[in-house]
């Protein structure tokens, strides 16, 4: 059965993921980005759909086989974690997942006024208006760029298209889960990591039917601090970081807690975001 770590892009999913990997690996020393990919990989990827489809960048083919791929992954009856940016959606009568394949989900929400700055950097958008259109697009899909298609499709494995919709649609889709669902706010993780990660631990203990020692939890929180992850990327690089238009790697762990929309974002853009996502932002206490 699958436990999803879901979020709209640039919302802190990798931070949560590294914490859980550190927790699951217990006393292992020197947790690194290789452990991240080995223990909690991203979904959907080519390797998950081999023997099911031939055109791995065809969204319709991927969507038709979301659940087939998950049945295949679950055939060993083990519990596994996957990071995903895909909405909890139905596309052309194909559901992203169902209760027979999914054990639970942790969703990381982040203030869209801060997400927009991270998106601009990550996807190399020219300006905030272009980034805002991405954030507002109910039909938004992320897939490999033309440059990435030339590079990645030569490889054994790569990321497949994902339907992410707008920030609002994405949040509402996952927040509709009724069973084994935990909502975590990125801002709360920054403000009080011990308290918020303790919620994650309690959730995992319940669905995994296990108990983590206090020492394990403290170590996992320390291992997954933003400063430590940023330094790790600077020293060793991070294979999940995006590339700019020239093919050079960009910082994945960029501003993090220093990303403050009040100091960065034009008032006109922030006002438009507030108006567009007013209901959800009030629900999450961002307004």
């Amino acid at each position: 059965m699958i436990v999803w770590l879901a979020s709209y892009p640039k919302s802190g999913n990798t931070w949560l993921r590294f914490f859980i990997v550190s927790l699951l690996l217990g006393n292992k020393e020197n947790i690194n980005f290789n452990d991240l990919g080995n223990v909690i990989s991203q979904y959907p990827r080519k390797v998950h759909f081999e023997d099911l489809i031939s055109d791995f960048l065809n969204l319709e083919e991927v969507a038709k086989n979301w659940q087939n791929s998950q049945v295949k992954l679950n055939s060993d009856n083990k519990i596994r974690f996957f990071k995903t940016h895909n909405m909890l959606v139905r596309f052309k009568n194909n559901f992203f997942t169902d209760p027979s394949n999914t054990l639970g989900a942790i969703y990381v929400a982040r203030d869209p006024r801060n997400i927009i700055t991270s998106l601009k950097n990550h996807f190399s958008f020219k300006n905030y208006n272009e980034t805002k259109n991405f954030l507002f697009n109910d039909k938004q899909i992320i897939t490999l760029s033309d440059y990435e298609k030339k590079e990645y499709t030569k490889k054994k494995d790569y990321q497949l298209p994902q339907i992410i919709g707008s920030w609002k649609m994405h949040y509402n889709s996952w927040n509709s889960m009724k069973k084994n669902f935990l909502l975590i706010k990125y801002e709360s993780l920054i403000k009080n990591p011990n308290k918020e990660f303790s919620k994650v631990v309690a959730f995992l203990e319940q669905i995994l039917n296990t108990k983590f020692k206090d020492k394990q939890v403290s170590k996992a929180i320390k291992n997954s601090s933003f400063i430590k992850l940023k330094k790790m990327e600077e020293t060793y690089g991070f294979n999940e970081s995006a590339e700019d238009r020239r093919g050079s790697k960009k910082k994945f762990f960029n501003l993090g807690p220093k990303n403050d929309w009040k100091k960065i974002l034009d008032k006109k853009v922030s006002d438009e975001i507030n108006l567009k996502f007013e209901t959800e932002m009030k629900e999450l206490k961002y307004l």
Side-chain angles (χ1 to χ4, degrees):
M1 295 283 279
I2 296 169
V3 179
W4 301 103
L5 307 182
S7 72
Y8 191 84
K10 307 310 295 178
S11 297
N13 196 315
T14 300
W15 184 13
L16 171 67
R17 188 171 154 218
F18 202 90
F19 168 77
I20 293 175
V21 167
S22 299
L23 193 66
L24 294 176
L25 292 180
N27 296 322
K28 185 180 186 299
E29 298 297 329
N30 302 316
I31 306 291
N32 57 51
F33 290 138
N34 288 330
D35 296 310
L36 191 67
N38 292 335
V39 179
I40 305 178
S41 67
Q42 299 186 66
Y43 179 97
R45 299 187 67 85
K46 179 186 175 185
V47 68
H48 305 140
F49 289 76
E50 286 175 345
D51 302 324
L52 293 173
I53 62 176
S54 56
D55 187 353
F56 295 99
L57 296 180
N58 183 318
L59 177 59
E60 286 195 30
E61 289 301 305
V62 172
K64 282 180 187 176
N65 287 278
W66 279 330
Q67 291 195 41
N68 290 333
S69 72
Q70 292 167 31
V71 168
K72 185 178 172 185
L73 287 164
N74 285 326
S75 61
D76 60 5
N77 295 316
K78 292 182 179 179
I79 295 174
R80 47 178 42 82
F81 293 80
F82 282 113
K83 167 187 174 177
T84 192
H85 291 312
N86 213 97
M87 286 173 58
L88 189 59
V89 69
R90 179 174 68 178
F91 179 70
K92 296 197 174 180
N93 215 33
N94 299 293
F95 288 89
F96 177 68
T97 190
D98 69 357
S100 67
N101 286 304
T102 290
L103 179 59
I106 303 175
Y107 188 85
V108 190
R110 188 183 186 187
D111 191 325
R113 294 167 297 188
N114 280 328
I115 288 177
I116 195 170
T117 302
S118 295
L119 285 175
K120 184 175 178 292
N121 172 68
H122 186 76
F123 290 110
S124 299
F125 289 124
K126 295 174 184 176
N127 51 53
Y128 279 110
N129 275 330
E130 189 177 339
T131 316
K132 180 191 68 182
N133 291 337
F134 180 99
L135 194 69
F136 286 4
N137 186 358
D138 288 344
K139 297 181 179 179
Q140 188 63 58
I141 294 164
I142 51 174
T143 189
L144 298 182
S145 66
D146 290 339
Y147 170 79
E148 289 172 330
K149 286 175 185 175
K150 293 176 184 177
E151 295 298 313
Y152 283 77
T153 51
K154 301 172 188 174
K155 299 182 179 181
K156 185 179 180 181
D157 192 25
Y158 49 85
Q159 187 172 301
L160 304 191
Q162 297 180 74
I163 302 172
I164 65 167
S166 63
W167 176 85
K168 167 183 178 175
M169 286 184 67
H170 198 285
Y171 162 71
N172 284 328
S173 76
W174 282 98
N175 199 42
S176 67
M177 272 191 74
K178 304 299 182 188
K179 185 180 177 183
N180 291 343
F181 177 76
L182 176 66
L183 174 68
I184 292 290
K185 288 169 60 176
Y186 177 87
E187 295 77 15
S188 299
L189 282 173
I190 292 172
K191 196 175 293 185
N192 196 336
N194 288 344
K195 179 181 177 182
E196 296 306 305
F197 280 126
S198 292
K199 294 179 184 177
V200 175
V201 171
F203 178 82
L204 295 177
E205 287 180 334
Q206 179 185 347
I207 64 171
L208 300 179
N209 193 25
T210 190
K211 184 72 178 172
F212 296 104
K213 295 178 181 177
D214 290 343
K215 187 185 290 186
Q216 282 178 271
V217 176
S218 298
K219 185 177 179 181
I221 292 173
K222 186 178 178 181
N223 280 343
S224 55
S225 72
F226 182 85
I227 293 172
K228 188 163 185 176
L229 294 177
K230 188 176 177 70
K231 187 175 180 180
M232 194 183 299
E233 181 184 17
E234 289 170 352
T235 305
Y236 304 107
F238 184 31
N239 62 2
E240 293 179 19
S241 61
E243 297 177 347
D244 62 25
R245 298 176 191 274
R246 294 170 295 179
S248 300
K249 286 280 189 181
K250 293 186 292 185
K251 290 180 181 178
F252 186 93
F253 300 96
N254 189 30
L255 293 176
K258 294 181 180 178
N259 183 358
D260 184 353
W261 66 270
K262 295 172 189 171
K263 298 176 182 177
I264 300 171
L265 204 57
D266 182 86
K267 186 177 185 302
K268 182 177 181 296
V269 176
S270 64
D271 285 348
E272 287 182 84
I273 292 173
N274 294 346
L275 182 62
K276 183 76 173 179
F277 302 140
E278 182 179 10
T279 300
E280 289 73 23
M281 290 177 72
K282 283 183 176 177
E283 187 175 302
L284 288 162
K285 296 182 171 53
Y286 292 140
L287 290 177

